[in-house]
Short mmCIF file of all heavy atoms in Angstrom, two decimals:
data_model
loop_
_atom_site.label_atom_id
_atom_site.label_comp_id
_atom_site.label_asym_id
_atom_site.label_seq_id
_atom_site.Cartn_x
_atom_site.Cartn_y
_atom_site.Cartn_z
N VAL A 5 48.18 180.26 59.77
CA VAL A 5 49.09 179.51 60.62
C VAL A 5 50.49 180.04 60.33
O VAL A 5 50.92 180.15 59.15
CB VAL A 5 49.05 177.98 60.31
CG1 VAL A 5 50.13 177.23 61.14
CG2 VAL A 5 47.67 177.44 60.64
N SER A 6 51.28 180.37 61.40
CA SER A 6 52.61 180.90 61.29
C SER A 6 53.59 180.02 62.07
O SER A 6 53.19 179.31 63.05
CB SER A 6 52.69 182.29 61.78
OG SER A 6 51.72 183.16 61.15
N CYS A 7 54.84 180.07 61.62
CA CYS A 7 55.87 179.30 62.26
C CYS A 7 57.15 180.06 62.45
O CYS A 7 57.58 180.76 61.51
CB CYS A 7 56.14 178.01 61.46
SG CYS A 7 57.51 177.01 62.12
N ARG A 8 57.72 179.99 63.59
CA ARG A 8 59.06 180.60 63.84
C ARG A 8 59.90 179.56 64.63
O ARG A 8 59.85 179.47 65.82
CB ARG A 8 58.93 181.90 64.66
CG ARG A 8 60.24 182.67 64.86
CD ARG A 8 60.01 183.94 65.56
NE ARG A 8 59.16 184.85 64.75
CZ ARG A 8 58.53 185.98 65.22
NH1 ARG A 8 58.68 186.28 66.51
NH2 ARG A 8 57.82 186.67 64.42
N ASN A 9 60.63 178.78 63.79
CA ASN A 9 61.40 177.67 64.38
C ASN A 9 60.45 176.65 65.01
O ASN A 9 59.58 176.08 64.36
CB ASN A 9 62.48 178.15 65.24
CG ASN A 9 63.64 177.19 65.37
OD1 ASN A 9 63.81 176.33 64.47
ND2 ASN A 9 64.41 177.19 66.44
N LEU A 10 60.61 176.45 66.36
CA LEU A 10 59.72 175.48 67.03
C LEU A 10 58.38 176.03 67.40
O LEU A 10 57.47 175.26 67.74
CB LEU A 10 60.46 175.01 68.29
CG LEU A 10 61.74 174.13 68.08
CD1 LEU A 10 62.35 173.91 69.39
CD2 LEU A 10 61.43 172.84 67.38
N ARG A 11 58.17 177.30 67.39
CA ARG A 11 56.93 177.93 67.79
C ARG A 11 55.95 177.95 66.59
O ARG A 11 56.29 178.54 65.52
CB ARG A 11 57.12 179.26 68.36
CG ARG A 11 55.80 179.96 68.87
CD ARG A 11 56.11 181.25 69.66
NE ARG A 11 54.86 181.79 70.09
CZ ARG A 11 54.25 182.86 69.50
NH1 ARG A 11 54.79 183.46 68.43
NH2 ARG A 11 53.10 183.31 69.91
N VAL A 12 54.78 177.35 66.78
CA VAL A 12 53.76 177.34 65.73
C VAL A 12 52.47 177.86 66.38
O VAL A 12 52.05 177.48 67.43
CB VAL A 12 53.50 175.91 65.26
CG1 VAL A 12 52.51 175.95 64.06
CG2 VAL A 12 54.81 175.27 64.82
N TRP A 13 51.79 178.83 65.63
CA TRP A 13 50.53 179.40 66.17
C TRP A 13 49.64 179.76 65.04
O TRP A 13 50.05 179.93 63.86
CB TRP A 13 50.82 180.60 67.02
CG TRP A 13 51.30 181.86 66.28
CD1 TRP A 13 50.55 182.86 65.88
CD2 TRP A 13 52.64 182.11 65.85
NE1 TRP A 13 51.33 183.83 65.20
CE2 TRP A 13 52.60 183.36 65.22
CE3 TRP A 13 53.85 181.49 66.01
CZ2 TRP A 13 53.76 183.96 64.68
CZ3 TRP A 13 54.93 182.03 65.43
CH2 TRP A 13 54.97 183.27 64.85
N VAL A 14 48.35 179.87 65.35
CA VAL A 14 47.29 180.23 64.37
C VAL A 14 46.72 181.58 64.89
O VAL A 14 46.51 181.79 66.06
CB VAL A 14 46.18 179.19 64.21
CG1 VAL A 14 45.49 178.90 65.57
CG2 VAL A 14 45.20 179.56 63.19
N SER A 15 46.39 182.46 63.95
CA SER A 15 45.81 183.80 64.30
C SER A 15 44.74 184.09 63.35
O SER A 15 44.59 183.54 62.17
CB SER A 15 46.89 184.90 64.23
OG SER A 15 47.45 184.97 62.93
N TRP A 16 43.83 185.02 63.69
CA TRP A 16 42.68 185.38 62.89
C TRP A 16 42.19 186.79 63.25
O TRP A 16 42.66 187.46 64.19
CB TRP A 16 41.53 184.38 63.07
CG TRP A 16 41.12 184.26 64.56
CD1 TRP A 16 40.13 185.01 65.16
CD2 TRP A 16 41.63 183.30 65.51
NE1 TRP A 16 40.02 184.59 66.47
CE2 TRP A 16 40.97 183.60 66.69
CE3 TRP A 16 42.58 182.36 65.46
CZ2 TRP A 16 41.18 182.86 67.86
CZ3 TRP A 16 42.84 181.65 66.59
CH2 TRP A 16 42.14 181.92 67.80
N GLU A 17 41.26 187.29 62.47
CA GLU A 17 40.65 188.56 62.68
C GLU A 17 39.12 188.40 62.87
O GLU A 17 38.58 187.41 62.35
CB GLU A 17 40.94 189.55 61.57
CG GLU A 17 42.41 189.87 61.34
CD GLU A 17 42.62 190.70 60.13
OE1 GLU A 17 41.64 191.02 59.40
OE2 GLU A 17 43.77 191.03 59.83
N PHE A 18 38.50 189.33 63.63
CA PHE A 18 37.09 189.24 63.86
C PHE A 18 36.50 190.68 63.94
O PHE A 18 37.05 191.52 64.70
CB PHE A 18 36.81 188.47 65.18
CG PHE A 18 35.34 188.17 65.40
CD1 PHE A 18 34.70 187.26 64.57
CD2 PHE A 18 34.67 188.73 66.43
CE1 PHE A 18 33.35 187.02 64.72
CE2 PHE A 18 33.30 188.44 66.64
CZ PHE A 18 32.66 187.57 65.78
N SER A 19 35.51 190.95 63.21
CA SER A 19 34.96 192.31 63.04
C SER A 19 33.96 192.70 64.11
O SER A 19 33.74 193.89 64.33
CB SER A 19 34.32 192.43 61.69
OG SER A 19 33.23 191.49 61.50
N ASP A 20 33.28 191.70 64.77
CA ASP A 20 32.21 192.03 65.70
C ASP A 20 32.56 191.52 67.09
O ASP A 20 31.89 190.74 67.71
CB ASP A 20 30.89 191.38 65.21
CG ASP A 20 29.69 191.81 66.03
OD1 ASP A 20 29.73 192.92 66.60
OD2 ASP A 20 28.68 191.04 66.08
N GLN A 21 33.65 192.06 67.63
CA GLN A 21 34.12 191.67 68.96
C GLN A 21 33.21 192.25 69.98
O GLN A 21 32.94 193.43 70.05
CB GLN A 21 35.56 192.14 69.16
CG GLN A 21 36.16 191.67 70.48
CD GLN A 21 36.43 190.17 70.51
OE1 GLN A 21 36.64 189.60 69.46
NE2 GLN A 21 36.32 189.57 71.70
N GLN A 22 32.71 191.35 70.90
CA GLN A 22 31.81 191.75 72.01
C GLN A 22 32.39 191.16 73.27
O GLN A 22 33.19 190.26 73.26
CB GLN A 22 30.41 191.26 71.72
CG GLN A 22 29.79 191.94 70.56
CD GLN A 22 28.30 191.58 70.37
OE1 GLN A 22 27.73 191.03 71.27
NE2 GLN A 22 27.72 191.88 69.23
N PRO A 23 31.88 191.63 74.49
CA PRO A 23 32.45 191.18 75.77
C PRO A 23 32.41 189.67 75.92
O PRO A 23 33.32 189.11 76.59
CB PRO A 23 31.59 191.86 76.79
CG PRO A 23 31.09 193.11 76.11
CD PRO A 23 30.91 192.73 74.65
N HIS A 24 31.44 188.99 75.41
CA HIS A 24 31.26 187.57 75.62
C HIS A 24 31.65 186.70 74.41
O HIS A 24 31.17 185.58 74.27
CB HIS A 24 29.83 187.22 76.05
CG HIS A 24 29.47 187.87 77.31
ND1 HIS A 24 29.92 187.51 78.54
CD2 HIS A 24 28.61 188.93 77.55
CE1 HIS A 24 29.37 188.27 79.49
NE2 HIS A 24 28.61 189.19 78.90
N THR A 25 32.51 187.25 73.53
CA THR A 25 32.89 186.51 72.35
C THR A 25 34.06 185.62 72.63
O THR A 25 35.01 186.02 73.27
CB THR A 25 33.27 187.54 71.20
OG1 THR A 25 32.17 188.38 70.92
CG2 THR A 25 33.67 186.80 69.92
N SER A 26 34.00 184.38 72.15
CA SER A 26 35.09 183.46 72.32
C SER A 26 35.19 182.70 70.95
O SER A 26 34.38 182.81 70.06
CB SER A 26 34.86 182.46 73.43
OG SER A 26 33.68 181.74 73.21
N PHE A 27 36.30 181.90 70.87
CA PHE A 27 36.56 181.21 69.60
C PHE A 27 36.95 179.75 69.92
O PHE A 27 37.69 179.45 70.84
CB PHE A 27 37.71 181.88 68.85
CG PHE A 27 37.47 183.33 68.58
CD1 PHE A 27 37.87 184.30 69.42
CD2 PHE A 27 36.76 183.73 67.45
CE1 PHE A 27 37.65 185.66 69.15
CE2 PHE A 27 36.53 185.04 67.15
CZ PHE A 27 36.92 186.00 68.02
N ARG A 28 36.41 178.85 69.12
CA ARG A 28 36.75 177.41 69.22
C ARG A 28 37.79 177.08 68.18
O ARG A 28 37.62 177.39 67.01
CB ARG A 28 35.51 176.56 68.98
CG ARG A 28 35.79 175.07 69.15
CD ARG A 28 34.51 174.24 69.23
NE ARG A 28 33.75 174.37 67.96
CZ ARG A 28 32.48 174.85 67.98
NH1 ARG A 28 31.88 175.21 69.14
NH2 ARG A 28 31.81 174.92 66.83
N VAL A 29 38.89 176.50 68.68
CA VAL A 29 40.03 176.17 67.77
C VAL A 29 40.06 174.67 67.68
O VAL A 29 40.23 173.95 68.70
CB VAL A 29 41.33 176.74 68.32
CG1 VAL A 29 42.47 176.38 67.38
CG2 VAL A 29 41.27 178.32 68.45
N GLU A 30 40.06 174.14 66.45
CA GLU A 30 40.15 172.67 66.21
C GLU A 30 41.34 172.40 65.31
O GLU A 30 41.49 173.02 64.29
CB GLU A 30 38.84 172.18 65.55
CG GLU A 30 37.57 172.49 66.39
CD GLU A 30 36.34 172.11 65.59
OE1 GLU A 30 35.87 173.01 64.85
OE2 GLU A 30 35.85 171.04 65.70
N ILE A 31 42.15 171.45 65.76
CA ILE A 31 43.26 170.99 64.94
C ILE A 31 42.93 169.64 64.41
O ILE A 31 42.75 168.66 65.15
CB ILE A 31 44.58 170.91 65.82
CG1 ILE A 31 44.87 172.31 66.48
CG2 ILE A 31 45.76 170.47 64.91
CD1 ILE A 31 46.11 172.22 67.36
N GLN A 32 42.91 169.56 63.11
CA GLN A 32 42.67 168.28 62.40
C GLN A 32 43.99 167.86 61.84
O GLN A 32 44.60 168.51 61.00
CB GLN A 32 41.57 168.45 61.31
CG GLN A 32 40.22 168.84 61.90
CD GLN A 32 39.19 169.05 60.83
OE1 GLN A 32 39.51 169.50 59.72
NE2 GLN A 32 37.94 168.73 61.14
N SER A 33 44.41 166.66 62.28
CA SER A 33 45.75 166.20 61.90
C SER A 33 45.71 164.78 61.34
O SER A 33 44.77 164.01 61.62
CB SER A 33 46.66 166.17 63.22
OG SER A 33 47.89 165.61 62.92
N SER A 34 46.74 164.39 60.71
CA SER A 34 46.82 163.03 60.19
C SER A 34 47.07 162.02 61.30
O SER A 34 46.85 160.82 61.10
CB SER A 34 47.93 162.89 59.16
OG SER A 34 49.21 163.32 59.74
N ASN A 35 47.41 162.55 62.50
CA ASN A 35 47.74 161.63 63.64
C ASN A 35 47.00 162.11 64.89
O ASN A 35 47.50 161.79 65.99
CB ASN A 35 49.29 161.65 63.90
CG ASN A 35 50.02 161.03 62.77
OD1 ASN A 35 50.56 161.80 61.93
ND2 ASN A 35 50.02 159.70 62.65
N GLY A 36 45.91 162.81 64.72
CA GLY A 36 45.11 163.13 65.95
C GLY A 36 44.25 164.33 65.74
O GLY A 36 44.18 164.94 64.71
N TYR A 37 43.44 164.58 66.84
CA TYR A 37 42.53 165.69 66.77
C TYR A 37 42.56 166.42 68.12
O TYR A 37 42.76 165.82 69.21
CB TYR A 37 41.08 165.13 66.53
CG TYR A 37 39.99 166.20 66.64
CD1 TYR A 37 39.73 167.04 65.62
CD2 TYR A 37 39.23 166.35 67.81
CE1 TYR A 37 38.71 168.01 65.69
CE2 TYR A 37 38.24 167.30 67.95
CZ TYR A 37 38.01 168.15 66.86
OH TYR A 37 37.03 169.10 66.96
N PHE A 38 42.49 167.80 68.07
CA PHE A 38 42.57 168.53 69.29
C PHE A 38 41.54 169.70 69.16
O PHE A 38 41.36 170.33 68.07
CB PHE A 38 43.97 169.15 69.40
CG PHE A 38 44.21 170.06 70.63
CD1 PHE A 38 44.38 169.56 71.91
CD2 PHE A 38 44.16 171.46 70.45
CE1 PHE A 38 44.53 170.38 72.96
CE2 PHE A 38 44.31 172.22 71.53
CZ PHE A 38 44.51 171.70 72.78
#
């Protein structure tokens, strides 16, 4: 997770990238879930 002032984002790496590869991102928070 990185932050630049108001902008916050998460990034990752993946070694076996294929045409139909996708990623599920889940935010677990003290005040909600996304």
